[in-house]
C-alpha cells in the first residue's frame, strides 16, 4: 500500500499547486521513491475535452487517450513517466459513475447520498493508483481553492482518508499565498490563517504549509504562520517566485520539503536526490548562447495556457540547442496576404498551432505559404499540418477551393476529410481519435532523420485526416507523406524535400516532450531555426 499526499490550495487559485506537486514528486523520484501524481477537478464536465481553451487552457491527452487537465502535462514533463485516465478525475465523472450504478440497481434500494456514496467513489479513485504496488507515494492535487462549494466532497474525502489510514501514511500539504503590502512594507499572514481555519473546519489538518511569496519569509513570519496554523515551525515552507518552473524542485529541496515528507512517512530513500540530468538541463536553460525568434501562429494566443505543452516543448528544445527561444505570438485572424511580410519579418521559424473551427484559418494558410516560399523553417501540428496540406493543394496543385470538410463541408476538393470512423459519431466528449497510435516512417526522409527510427508512437486528438484520394496528386506535386499509420494508412507526417525544414504532423509531439526527453521534432525544428538565424546574421 502506498503513502498518500494531498495538495490543497488556499486564498486564491493559480498559485501553482501543479508545479509544487510535480516538484515534490520529482524530488521523491530522484531519491528512488516511485511516485505518481493525480488531479481531482471539482467541475461537472466529465473531462476537460469539451471545454473551450479560453475556459481551461490546453486539453492534455495521455497515452491511453484520456482528455485531461493541463497539470498532467507538468507531471509528465517533470517525472518523465506517462500518466493515464486514472490520474485525472472530475466531479462529473464521479457523479456519472455513481448515477450509472444507481440506474443499474447496485445500491439495493438505498437513498444515494453525497456522504457516503459520492465520497466512497472519490475515495476509491483517490486510493486506486496506490493499490497495485507500483507506487510508493501517490500525490493528489485537489483542484480549486479550499472553501469552494464545489470542492467540498473532495476535501471531506481527504478528511475520511486522514481519519481511516495510519497517521504515517497520509499527509496534507496546503499551498497558500502570503501577500506583500507595499504601502505597509509587510508580508501578511491573515489570508493564510483564514484559509487554514477553513480547511480545519472541514476536519482536515494540514501537515505542511507551502507559502507562495514575492518576498523572503523570515523566521518570525514562519513561526507566526506555524503557530496560527497549528503546524510544526519547520513545516512552513517558502515558495519564492522562480525564474522558471523548472527551478522549483531545487527551491523545494532547499526548503527540505522532501525530507519532511520522508520523515513523516518513515520511508527509506537515497540520502540526497540525484538531479544530475535535471541540473544539466537547468544549466543549459539558463545559459543560452543566442536567441532565436519563433512565430507561434494560433487563434488562442491571448491565453498562453492554451498552448502550454508547445511552449514547454520550446523550452526543452531550446535548452538542448543552447538557445533561448523567444516565442512571438501571432494571431492568425490578423494575418493576411497583404500584411504577412510585415508580420512575419525577422522570424527564424514558424509553428502553426493545433485548433478547431473556422476562425483564423485563412491566416494560418497565408503563414504556411510564407514559410514554404521563403524557405523559413516550418512546423505544423495537427490543424497546422492540415493547413499545410490545404495550402499546397491550393497554391501548388492548383485546387483553388481545396479545404477541410471541417471548415467547408461542400468543398469540391476536400483534401482534409472526416475520418470514416468519425462519421457515425454524434456525441462530443471523448469521441475524437485520441491517444497513442503507431506511425511507420519512410527511410531517408526528414522525419526519419529526426526520429532516427522507422517506427514511432505519438499521441493524437483529431477528427479529420489527410484525404488519401489525393495522395498521388500530392506526391506528384512534390509533397512527401513520410509517416503513416501502419494499420489504416492514415497520413501522419507530410514534408517538403526541397525546403530546409518543412514538416507537418497530424499528431501532437508536444505532449511527449519532457525535461529529460525533449520531443525530437521540436529539437530539430529549433536546430533548423538556429541555423536560419545564423544565416540571417
Ligand atoms: N480540428 C482538427 C481536427 O479535428 C485539428 C485538431 C487539432 O488541431 N487538435 O482534425
Amino acid at each position: 500500500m502506498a503513502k498518500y499526499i494531498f495538495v490543497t490550495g488556499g486564498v486564491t487559485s493559480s498559485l501553482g499547486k501543479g508545479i509544487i506537486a510535480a516538484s515534490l514528486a520529482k524530488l521523491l523520484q530522484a531519491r528512488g521513491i516511485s511516485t505518481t501524481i493525480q488531479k481531482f477537478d471539482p467541475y461537472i464536465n466529465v473531462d476537460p475535452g469539451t471545454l473551450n481553451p479560453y475556459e481551461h487552457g490546453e486539453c492534455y491527452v495521455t497515452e491511453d487517450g484520456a482528455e485531461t487537465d493541463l497539470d498532467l502535462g507538468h507531471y509528465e514533463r517533470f517525472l518523465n513517466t506517462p500518466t493515464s485516465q486514472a490520474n485525472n478525475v472530475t466531479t462529473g465523472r464521479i457523479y456519472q459513475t455513481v448515477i450509472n450504478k444507481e440506474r443499474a440497481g447496485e445500491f439495493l434500494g438505498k437513498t444515494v447520498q453525497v456522504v457516503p456514496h459520492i465520497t466512497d467513489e472519490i475515495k476509491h479513485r483517490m486510493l486506486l493508483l496506490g493499490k497495485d504496488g507500483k507506487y510508493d507515494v501517490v500525490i493528489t492535487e485537489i483542484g480549486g481553492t479550499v472553501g469552494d462549494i464545489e470542492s467540498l466532497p473532495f476535501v471531506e474525502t481527504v478528511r475520511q482518508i486522514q481519519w481511516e489510514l495510519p497517521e504515517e501514511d497520509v499527509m496534507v500539504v496546503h499551498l497558500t499565498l502570503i501577500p506583500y503590502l507595499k504601502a505597509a512594507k509587510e508580508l501578511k499572514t491573515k489570508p493564510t490563517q483564514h484559509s487554514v481555519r477553513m480547511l480545519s473546519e472541514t476536519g482536515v489538518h494540514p501537515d505542511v504549509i507551502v507559502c507562495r511569496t514575492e518576498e523572503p519569509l523570515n523566521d518570525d513570519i514562519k513561526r507566526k504562520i506555524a503557530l496560527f496554523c497549528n503546524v510544526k515551525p519547520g513545516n512552513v515552507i517558502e515558495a519564492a517566485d522562480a525564474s522558471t518552473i523548472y527551478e522549483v524542485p531545487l527551491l523545494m529541496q532547499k526548503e527540505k520539503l522532501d525530507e519532511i515528507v520522508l520523515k513523516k512517512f518513515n520511508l527509506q530513500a537515497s540520502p540526497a536526490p540525484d538531479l544530475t540530468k535535471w541540473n544539466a538541463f537547468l544549466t543549459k536553460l539558463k545559459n543560452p548562447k543566442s536567441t532565436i525568434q519563433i512565430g507561434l501562429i494560433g487563434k488562442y494566443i491571448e491565453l498562453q495556457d492554451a498552448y502550454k505543452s508547445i511552449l514547454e516543448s520550446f523550452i526543452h528544445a531550446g535548452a538542448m540547442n543552447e538557445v533561448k527561444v523567444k516565442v512571438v505570438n501571432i494571431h492568425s485572424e490578423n494575418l493576411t496576404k497583404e500584411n504577412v511580410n510585415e508580420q512575419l519579418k525577422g522570424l527564424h521559424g514558424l509553428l502553426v498551432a493545433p485548433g478547431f473551427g473556422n476562425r483564423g484559418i485563412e491566416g494560418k494558410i497565408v503563414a504556411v505559404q510564407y514559410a514554404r516560399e521563403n524557405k523559413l523553417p516550418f512546423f505544423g501540428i495537427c490543424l497546422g499540418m492540415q493547413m499545410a496540406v490545404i495550402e499546397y493543394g491550393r497554391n501548388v496543385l492548383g485546387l483553388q477551393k481545396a479545404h477541410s470538410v471541417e471548415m467547408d463541408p461542400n468543398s469540391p476538393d476536400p483534401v482534409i476529410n472526416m475520418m470514416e470512423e468519425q462519421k457515425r459519431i454524434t456525441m462530443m466528449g471523448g469521441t475524437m481519435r485520441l491517444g497513442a497510435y503507431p506511425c511507420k516512417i519512410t527511410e531517408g526522409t526528414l522525419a526519419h532523420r529526426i526520429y532516427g527510427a522507422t517506427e514511432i508512437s505519438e499521441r493524437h486528438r483529431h477528427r479529420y485526416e489527410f484525404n488519401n484520394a489525393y495522395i498521388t496528386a500530392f506526391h506528384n506535386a512534390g509533397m512527401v507523406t513520410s509517416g503513416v499509420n501502419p494499420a489504416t494508412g492514415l497520413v501522419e507526417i507530410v514534408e517538403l524535400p526541397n525546403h530546409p525544414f518543412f514538416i507537418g504532423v497530424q499528431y501532437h509531439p508536444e505532449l511527449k516532450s519532457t525535461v529529460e526527453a525533449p520531443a525530437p521534432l521540436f529539437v530539430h525544428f529549433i536546430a533548423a531555426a538556429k541555423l536560419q538565424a545564423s544565416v540571417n546574421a
Side-chain angles (χ1 to χ4, degrees):
M1 179 94 164
K3 313 266 186 187
Y4 293 93
I5 302 175
F6 296 93
V7 181
T8 57
V11 181
T12 167
S13 57
S14 305
L15 289 181
K17 277 194 300 266
I19 303 296
I20 295 293
S23 298
L24 173 56
K26 183 77 223 169
L27 292 175
L28 295 175
Q29 183 196 53
R31 282 172 174 264
I33 304 282
S34 94
T35 307
T36 190
I37 321 174
Q38 54 185 354
K39 171 125 193 229
F40 278 58
D41 274 311
Y43 50 74
I44 312 288
N45 303 63
V46 172
D47 62 44
T50 52
L51 286 172
N52 184 320
Y54 286 121
E55 293 277 321
H56 209 67
E58 163 188 277
C59 173
Y60 186 80
V61 180
T62 57
E63 287 288 295
D64 62 349
E67 297 179 286
T68 71
D69 186 78
L70 57 75
D71 271 332
L72 272 80
H74 289 309
Y75 307 162
E76 290 203 11
R77 288 187 281 273
F78 275 56
L79 295 184
N80 198 30
T81 54
T83 54
S84 70
Q85 177 70 74
N87 294 73
N88 192 196
V89 177
T90 68
T91 295
R93 192 172 292 276
I94 297 285
Y95 272 81
Q96 190 184 47
T97 312
V98 172
I99 290 169
N100 286 346
K101 279 189 189 164
E102 185 273 337
R103 292 289 84 182
E106 284 186 36
F107 295 110
L108 304 173
K110 286 260 188 263
T111 308
V112 181
Q113 295 177 298
V114 173
V115 182
H117 302 100
I118 294 295
T119 52
D120 277 354
E121 183 59 33
I122 297 173
K123 195 184 308 171
H124 164 71
R125 288 173 185 256
M126 278 181 172
L127 300 181
L128 190 64
L129 286 172
K131 288 208 160 139
D132 62 4
K134 204 169 155 201
Y135 299 109
D136 305 317
V137 173
V138 176
I139 302 181
T140 304
E141 179 190 347
I142 311 282
T145 308
V146 167
D148 296 348
I149 292 178
E150 298 184 316
S151 53
L152 270 178
F154 291 150
V155 178
E156 159 61 14
T157 311
V158 174
R159 181 195 70 78
Q160 293 180 20
I161 292 173
Q162 216 177 16
W163 174 74
E164 275 170 27
L165 294 191
E167 225 192 293
E168 67 276 13
D169 286 355
V170 186
M171 258 185 106
V172 174
V173 174
H174 187 62
L175 176 65
T176 173
L177 175 73
I178 310 289
Y180 179 73
L181 293 192
K182 271 203 194 106
K185 292 201 176 59
E186 249 185 292
L187 285 160
K188 290 296 184 190
T189 64
K190 192 71 83 190
T192 297
Q193 294 177 36
H194 281 298
S195 95
V196 172
R197 188 167 310 149
M198 201 137 39
L199 191 59
S200 304
E201 276 165 13
T202 58
V204 173
H205 183 66
D207 296 277
V208 177
I209 313 271
V210 177
C211 305
R212 279 298 303 274
T213 173
E214 290 174 2
E215 294 291 322
L217 303 181
N218 60 32
D219 283 347
D220 282 349
I221 293 254
K222 281 191 170 177
R223 216 169 306 116
K224 185 172 171 189
I225 297 169
L227 178 66
F228 280 104
C229 300
N230 198 20
V231 301
K232 299 253 158 51
N235 290 9
V236 176
I237 301 278
E238 170 185 310
D241 288 353
S243 60
T244 152
I245 54 169
Y246 298 110
E247 206 166 48
V248 180
L250 304 184
L251 297 182
M252 290 303 103
Q253 186 192 8
K254 226 159 81 203
E255 290 285 304
K256 302 193 174 20
L257 182 56
D258 51 339
E259 288 178 36
I260 295 169
V261 168
L262 292 172
K263 196 164 151 222
K264 157 109 191 189
F265 285 163
N266 210 1
L267 276 175
Q268 296 304 319
S270 321
D274 177 3
L275 293 167
T276 318
K277 280 190 185 163
W278 192 269
N279 284 327
F281 159 78
L282 265 183
T283 306
K284 283 190 175 176
L285 179 65
K286 289 180 155 180
N287 300 289
K289 298 205 167 105
S290 60
T291 301
I292 56 161
Q293 304 213 66
I294 300 293
L296 174 65
I297 322 281
K299 68 168 178 178
Y300 305 114
I301 49 150
E302 315 81 307
L303 187 81
Q304 290 295 293
D305 272 359
Y307 301 113
K308 197 77 207 162
S309 293
I310 290 177
L311 297 176
E312 297 305 323
S313 302
F314 279 144
I315 292 173
H316 308 154
M320 277 292 262
N321 282 289
E322 299 186 90
V323 294
K324 180 175 166 51
V325 179
K326 184 166 182 294
V327 178
V328 181
N329 295 302
I330 295 159
H331 210 301
S332 50
E333 264 185 312
N334 300 338
L335 212 51
T336 62
K337 275 206 161 91
E338 291 67 42
N339 68 15
V340 64
N341 286 329
E342 185 55 34
Q343 290 236 10
L344 305 185
K345 164 179 90 198
L347 296 174
H348 307 120
L350 277 192
L351 187 146
V352 177
F356 294 84
N358 212 2
R359 191 163 66 90
I361 282 302
E362 293 304 323
K364 287 189 171 174
I365 295 173
V366 165
V368 179
Q369 184 178 5
Y370 178 91
R372 181 174 60 78
E373 291 178 350
N374 293 286
K375 306 252 184 245
L376 191 64
F378 167 81
F379 184 10
I381 297 182
C382 206
L383 185 71
M385 170 268 199
Q386 297 175 353
M387 292 307 115
V389 171
I390 293 168
E391 191 278 322
Y392 210 72
R394 287 186 190 174
N395 299 328
V396 179
L397 279 77
L399 311 170
Q400 274 163 26
K401 295 202 165 147
H403 220 318
S404 163
V405 294
E406 180 180 5
M407 292 69 184
D408 180 4
N410 302 318
S411 166
D413 287 302
V415 293
I416 303 294
N417 208 1
M418 184 172 260
M419 283 182 282
E420 221 27 69
E421 76 246 31
Q422 287 287 328
K423 290 185 180 159
R424 292 174 298 276
I425 293 173
T426 50
M427 296 290 272
M428 292 304 278
T431 57
M432 280 187 249
R433 180 174 181 246
L434 290 165
Y437 283 93
C439 168
K440 206 169 155 15
I441 291 181
T442 313
E443 279 186 52
T445 58
L446 172 62
H448 186 242
R449 188 153 55 78
I450 289 171
Y451 281 98
T454 52
E455 276 165 42
I456 58 158
S457 166
E458 292 277 9
R459 299 184 201 169
H460 297 70
R461 184 173 189 248
H462 64 120
R463 286 188 208 283
Y464 301 87
E465 60 163 323
F466 183 99
N467 184 347
N468 275 331
Y470 288 86
I471 202 163
T472 315
F474 274 82
H475 287 171
N476 290 342
M479 183 170 262
V480 171
T481 50
S482 52
V484 292
N485 178 285
T488 58
L490 204 81
V491 172
E492 299 279 18
I493 313 176
V494 299
E495 56 184 76
L496 294 178
N498 59 354
H499 189 286
F501 190 99
F502 188 104
I503 197 159
V505 294
Q506 184 58 78
Y507 50 82
H508 291 267
E510 73 276 21
L511 300 175
K512 276 176 69 170
S513 190
T514 71
V515 164
E516 282 162 35
L521 271 162
F522 277 86
V523 174
H524 282 80
F525 173 57
I526 295 303
K530 185 174 155 187
L531 195 66
Q532 175 81 21
S534 68
V535 172
N536 285 6

